[in-house]
Amino acid sequence: MQALIKTPNVKELIIQDVALPEPAPGEALIKVGYCGVCGSDLHAYHHAPGYEFVEMPRILGHELVGTVVSALGQDSGNWLNKKVVAESIQHCGTCAQCQEQRTNICEHTQVMGLHFDGGMAEYVKCKLKYLKEIPANLPDAIAVLTEPMTIAVHAVETVGQVKNGDAVLVQGPGIIGFFVALVCKALGAKVRLSGLKRDYKARLSLAQDFGIETFTVDEGENLREQVDILFECSGSSRAVNPGLQSLKKGGKAVFVALYESSTDLFLTQAVRNEWALLTSYGSKPEDYTRAFEILDMFSSQLESLVSLYELNNAKNAFEDAMEQKVLKPVLVL
Ligand SMILES: [Zn+2]
Ligand SMILES: [Zn+2]
């Protein structure tokens, strides 16, 4: 099969013929239709700090949609020919966090496409227990957005516990910020999405089409918004303090982005305001069901967020994403 290989060289991707993965009992072989390029794939692509653990050569990608073409072991027959996505975070099931159903922060987390080969190939294998069947009415080009939507569902519903009527500021109009704003909107919150002026054309204007109020800021600008909840999805350490200034006393901030540098916080202000500083990482199995619901709610509009790239054009998908020219690059396998 053909696969996109991230070599040990920075930003080097090559297309290679490799052996078909051989599923073991309890695993399926999936013919991949689409695979989204995620922020974590980009971090691995340019060898960002915090991604030293990714052994290369590696087939990246966890945001895949595909069809099960073979499966082995108990109940495997039920999966044949099913359209599926895969949970990106695979967990051990036995550590303290897993026993509390916090599988997203398992001690032995394995992420598809980073710890082992992923979906940027014609075929991928995956354990049956991590497969999620796509609802029949959801087109593949929208189902490919499931995993990033689960990240937003986890951040907004489980961590942020956003309620109807809450005033919410979302910083950073990348796909995660966009989806966080969308889930807040679905819950009846008053949500605004902010980005830099250069984000307007490719990103913020799309959010307006979904009825999300947007505004632009200068880098490091203080906002004075006075919201109940801030979602920091920009990943820019320069945006952290200005974002916090927009919180009401007693408000909460949820950090969803991953940062490439550290941030200085003057905690006295946070203490005096009794701000809750929360973090949200990844998603859990049940978030996939909710993600399907939200994707279905907005399905007529979501295709506009996806930019498709043929495999032999994959390098451009990564570069366009790095330059923030597109919201969600997706490889067509
Ligand atoms: Zn992802
Ligand atoms: Zn575990």
Side-chain angles (χ1 to χ4, degrees):
M1 67 168 185
Q2 287 213 308
L4 185 71
I5 312 277
K6 170 67 189 74
T7 75
N9 302 323
V10 178
K11 289 188 165 193
E12 187 176 68
L13 295 167
I14 55 170
I15 297 169
Q16 226 172 40
D17 263 320
V18 300
L20 210 60
E22 283 180 36
E27 293 183 339
L29 184 68
I30 300 158
K31 186 173 189 347
V32 182
Y34 295 114
C35 188
V37 180
C38 183
S40 57
D41 300 317
L42 295 179
H43 289 302
Y45 171 66
H46 74 108
H47 297 199
Y51 285 77
E52 297 79 5
F53 71 92
V54 181
E55 286 171 23
M56 297 178 193
R58 172 68 72 230
I59 301 172
L60 300 172
H62 55 261
E63 296 180 3
L64 64 99
V65 176
T67 306
V68 175
V69 291
S70 68
L72 294 176
Q74 238 184 350
D75 300 329
S76 56
N78 299 334
W79 285 102
L80 263 191
N81 299 319
K82 291 273 160 64
K83 278 273 178 66
V84 293
V85 296
E87 277 178 54
S88 57
I89 298 180
Q90 309 201 342
H91 57 274
C92 74
T94 54
C95 71
Q97 291 85 287
C98 279
Q99 290 192 340
E100 292 175 357
Q101 273 70 53
R102 298 184 70 186
T103 51
N104 57 318
I105 48 167
C106 167
E107 287 295 338
H108 310 286
T109 295
Q110 297 268 300
V111 181
M112 179 184 262
L114 296 177
H115 291 92
F116 55 94
D117 282 341
M120 293 185 184
E122 289 182 280
Y123 293 87
V124 64
K125 67 174 181 178
C126 180
K127 290 196 171 74
L128 294 170
K129 64 177 177 177
Y130 295 118
L131 295 182
K132 302 282 176 196
E133 186 179 357
I134 298 166
N137 53 341
L138 206 61
D140 293 7
I142 291 172
V144 74
L145 300 169
T146 305
E147 195 267 350
M149 185 59 86
T150 66
I151 309 287
V153 165
H154 182 69
V156 173
E157 300 194 349
T158 306
V159 179
Q161 302 190 354
V162 171
K163 302 180 303 295
N164 184 22
D166 280 345
V168 176
L169 170 65
V170 182
Q171 293 196 138
I175 193 78
I176 299 298
F178 198 111
F179 281 178
V180 163
L182 217 50
V183 179
C184 288
K185 189 179 156 63
L187 292 171
K190 289 175 284 192
V191 60
R192 300 183 77 201
L193 174 65
S194 75
L196 299 175
K197 292 191 173 71
R198 63 157 190 264
D199 292 326
Y200 184 79
K201 205 160 156 264
R203 296 173 168 225
L204 284 172
S205 62
L206 284 173
Q208 289 174 348
D209 296 342
F210 287 76
I212 296 168
E213 198 184 326
T214 69
F215 64 101
T216 58
V217 294
D218 288 317
E219 205 161 359
E221 184 188 349
N222 279 359
L223 305 177
R224 309 255 167 228
E225 281 277 304
Q226 299 297 297
V227 295
D228 302 302
I229 309 176
L230 163 75
F231 287 94
E232 210 312 287
C233 305
S234 77
S236 158
S237 18
R238 292 194 57 194
V240 171
N241 276 304
L244 288 174
Q245 302 315 315
S246 66
L247 270 184
K248 279 182 190 162
K249 277 182 175 264
K252 56 189 160 190
V254 182
F255 294 88
V256 191
L258 297 168
Y259 301 83
E260 292 190 2
S261 64
S262 58
T263 303
D264 267 335
L265 282 183
F266 182 56
L267 284 171
T268 296
Q269 190 196 13
V271 172
R272 283 192 177 132
N273 290 324
E274 208 169 74
W275 286 334
L277 304 180
L278 306 170
T279 58
S280 179
Y281 177 71
S283 58
K284 300 200 282 188
E286 60 269 28
D287 297 322
Y288 282 74
T289 314
R290 180 70 175 143
F292 287 139
E293 280 174 23
I294 309 248
L295 290 173
D296 188 48
M297 226 179 269
F298 297 97
S299 70
S300 62
Q301 288 175 283
L302 284 167
E303 224 155 325
S304 64
L305 309 188
V306 172
S307 303
L308 299 177
Y309 294 80
E310 298 294 327
L311 188 59
N312 58 18
N313 202 17
K315 175 89 180 166
N316 284 337
F318 278 74
E319 283 300 319
D320 288 352
M322 292 285 290
E323 291 171 28
Q324 307 188 338
K325 283 186 189 164
V326 293
L327 195 58
K328 175 52 74 181
V330 168
L331 303 184
V332 182
L333 279 309

